[in-house]
Amino acid sequence: MTISPLANRAATRELLDEFGLATKHRFGQNFLIDNHVIERICELAELTGTEHVLEVGPGIGTLTLALVQEAARVVSIEMDSALEPVLDAHAADSPNFRYLMGDALRVSPERIVEAAGAPPTHFVANLPYNVAATIILDFFEKMPNLERAVVMVQKEVADRISAQPGSKDYGAYTVKLSLFAQVTGRFEVPPRCFMPAPHVDSAVVRLDRLGYEAEGLVASAGAGSVQAQHGSDTADFVSKVCRVVDAAFAQRRKTIRNSMGSNGFAKDALDAAFEATGIAPTVRAETLSTERFVALSQELARLGGLPEPGARGRGNR
């Protein structure tokens, strides 16, 4: 059983008082005080002692102190400079722990690898809720060695991550993230598990990067991930799919043809691509699976029907 010495109200309050700290709403600081949640996070992460783990938003280190017991190395990124003395004390006590101060969206992967001693394989964190969705997608995109993420997020974000085609939560973000990873676990976390208690419900989601052996995004390709299918062209491929997805979801109430046609795509190319992929031009974007978006993107690229990035309003010819 993994136990964090800070995963209770009394220990958290004592540490905050010791360092003269208070929680800061602008940083989304809600500290975990329930060790059962810590245990379940570690169980989902399935750490074996060999992993290099990346954490964002460690706060006072409640989850961190559990992770250092389970992983070979833990590197945490913290934005609140007032918490540096706390993290420094943890680093002094745990030789396999390092931390970086700064904005997680601006810290370069190279700095993270240097601190970790190797590219991180696991991302485990109680994320700042205001940037959680952006961080998850950004890390999977920029860190190809990242195999798994187990992250605490606002329940609404978890719903978007887990959404299926046709549901109200399914959108462009869901499709983009599914290019890299799939949801393989989830549990809910009530407000009482935090200090102070947030005004929203939370959930922990596990995401595993799509493997080479999984079923293909495009059935005819027989490849299981963006990386497997496109190799070194991954970034270019993702960019193309994301342009299609953004245009398709730009005006959700419109049909996919009208939404994409109003956002830079030529309707003659769209009609040809719809016919080739068997997608009805009258459907709405939220009804299409990731596989269908990938197929549509490939066909539009083959036809030369992908507008330049940022192009709008030229698709009605």
Side-chain angles (χ1 to χ4, degrees):
M1 181 174 70
T2 305
I3 297 176
S4 171
L6 293 176
N8 63 79
R9 188 178 298 274
T12 296
R13 174 50 59 196
E14 182 179 349
L15 185 142
L16 291 173
D17 290 345
E18 177 186 351
F19 285 88
L21 299 170
T23 56
K24 297 177 182 177
H25 178 71
R26 71 179 184 275
F27 288 130
Q29 291 175 348
N30 301 95
F31 301 130
L32 267 173
I33 54 171
D34 188 324
N35 197 75
H36 180 59
V37 176
I38 298 287
E39 286 184 64
R40 294 191 68 183
I41 290 173
C42 290
E43 287 173 3
L44 271 186
E46 295 185 7
L47 301 176
T48 65
T50 62
E51 298 83 3
H52 289 70
V53 174
L54 175 61
E55 181 189 24
V56 169
I60 60 173
T62 307
L63 178 57
T64 312
L65 294 183
L67 294 176
V68 295
Q69 300 173 45
E70 305 283 340
R73 179 70 68 93
V74 177
V75 173
S76 301
I77 304 174
E78 175 56 55
M79 191 169 184
D80 184 2
S81 59
L83 295 174
E84 185 168 6
V86 180
L87 298 177
D88 197 51
H90 293 330
D93 293 335
S94 302
N96 63 334
F97 172 60
R98 298 288 185 274
Y99 68 89
L100 299 170
M101 301 304 298
D103 183 342
L105 292 171
R106 296 184 178 182
V107 175
S108 70
E110 291 76 17
R111 283 189 65 199
I112 294 171
V113 171
E114 181 181 2
T121 56
H122 287 57
F123 175 33
V124 186
N126 173 18
L127 290 172
Y129 287 0
N130 58 333
V131 292
T134 303
I135 288 174
I136 295 167
L137 180 57
D138 187 73
F139 280 12
F140 268 113
E141 186 172 1
K142 292 181 179 178
M143 301 181 192
N145 290 92
L146 199 66
E147 300 169 4
R148 178 174 302 154
V150 178
V151 287
M152 178 101 69
V153 296
Q154 188 173 334
K155 181 181 179 298
E156 284 73 12
V157 173
D159 290 343
R160 288 170 59 200
I161 290 172
S162 308
Q164 296 298 311
S167 67
K168 65 180 179 64
D169 297 307
Y170 185 78
Y173 179 81
T174 313
V175 177
K176 290 176 184 179
L177 184 56
S178 70
L179 293 172
F180 297 96
Q182 59 186 341
V183 176
T184 56
R186 171 176 172 163
F187 67 88
E188 314 299 304
V189 183
R192 67 175 181 274
C193 296
F194 301 89
M195 190 185 87
H199 299 295
V200 297
D201 290 327
S202 306
V204 173
V205 178
R206 169 171 155 169
L207 289 153
D208 285 336
R209 188 180 289 274
L210 292 167
Y212 291 100
E213 73 284 358
E215 291 187 12
L217 287 173
V218 181
S220 61
S225 67
V226 173
Q227 290 81 355
Q229 184 177 336
H230 298 275
S232 61
D233 295 329
T234 297
D236 180 60
F237 170 74
V238 169
S239 175
K240 290 175 180 177
V241 176
C242 287
R243 278 150 60 193
V244 169
V245 170
D246 285 336
F249 281 97
Q251 295 165 289
R252 290 183 66 117
R253 292 189 175 185
K254 288 189 174 184
T255 66
I256 189 171
R257 181 180 188 271
N258 287 341
S259 182
M260 294 182 69
S262 298
N263 286 271
F265 286 78
K267 288 188 174 179
D268 52 355
L270 286 173
D271 290 339
F274 290 143
E275 182 176 1
T277 56
I279 297 172
T282 54
V283 302
R284 292 194 171 115
E286 62 265 26
T287 66
L288 297 185
S289 65
T290 302
E291 292 85 352
R292 304 303 295 277
F293 277 112
V294 169
L296 180 59
S297 302
Q298 288 181 318
E299 186 62 22
L300 284 167
R302 188 186 71 81
L303 294 169
L306 283 170
E308 292 300 315
R312 287 178 58 91
R314 299 201 306 269
N316 294 321
R317 63 181 185 273

